[in-house]
Amino acid sequence: MRIEKEIYGEEAMENLGETLSKALKGGGVVYLEGDLGMGKTTLVRGVLRGLGYQGPVKSPTYTIVEPYEFAGLEAYHFDLYRVGNAEELEFMGIRDYFTVGSLCLIEWAEMGRGVLPEADLVISLQLIRQGRHVSFIAQSEKGNVALNVLGEAITS
């Protein structure tokens, strides 16, 4: 299953993230793909705001992971841009973050290939005119459920 949307502006990207949060309350593994400056962290900020987080959200480029706790859900925002080798992730115990009830939002997932679990949902952001083309692609049954919820939220 796939959903595509055009987004114009940072506020619209954050709002899309808030809408997406409704589809991710059950957790899952989400890969965020796109070049630098495409809005991956802005989308994550919207997801976290939609889940109830009110503080600042920055990309964890140097810390690799930033945890967030919500009632009944642990969320982790990963930025693997600076990872030189996927084995580095094993040393930090990355597999411990991927539990049944956790939500793992991963920027630059290709840097962890071979160590990371498969994505439930892949979100790809590409530059178009003055905005972004956003593709949501389900990779599992959990991803399909999330896209059904997202599709209903976008069209209502």
Side-chain angles (χ1 to χ4, degrees), residues 100-154:
V100 173
S102 67
L103 172 60
C104 295
L105 304 157
I106 308 166
E107 297 184 38
W108 304 99
E110 63 271 18
M111 304 303 283
R113 190 169 285 125
V115 174
L116 295 176
E118 293 297 318
D120 294 303
L121 186 61
V122 176
I123 303 171
S124 178
L125 295 95
Q126 297 176 324
L127 184 65
I128 54 164
R129 299 177 296 283
Q130 307 303 318
R132 304 293 185 264
H133 179 265
V134 185
S135 297
F136 300 87
I137 304 154
Q139 303 279 328
S140 71
E141 186 55 39
K142 192 176 233 182
N144 281 326
V145 169
L147 283 192
N148 282 330
V149 172
L150 178 63
E152 288 176 17
I154 287 175

Side-chain angles (χ1 to χ4, degrees), residues 62-85:
Y62 293 100
T63 58
I64 299 179
V65 62
E66 192 67 40
Y68 300 88
E69 287 194 39
F70 304 97
L73 179 69
E74 292 180 338
Y76 301 100
H77 179 199
F78 294 88
D79 183 333
L80 306 184
Y81 183 74
R82 299 204 181 278
V83 172
N85 183 321

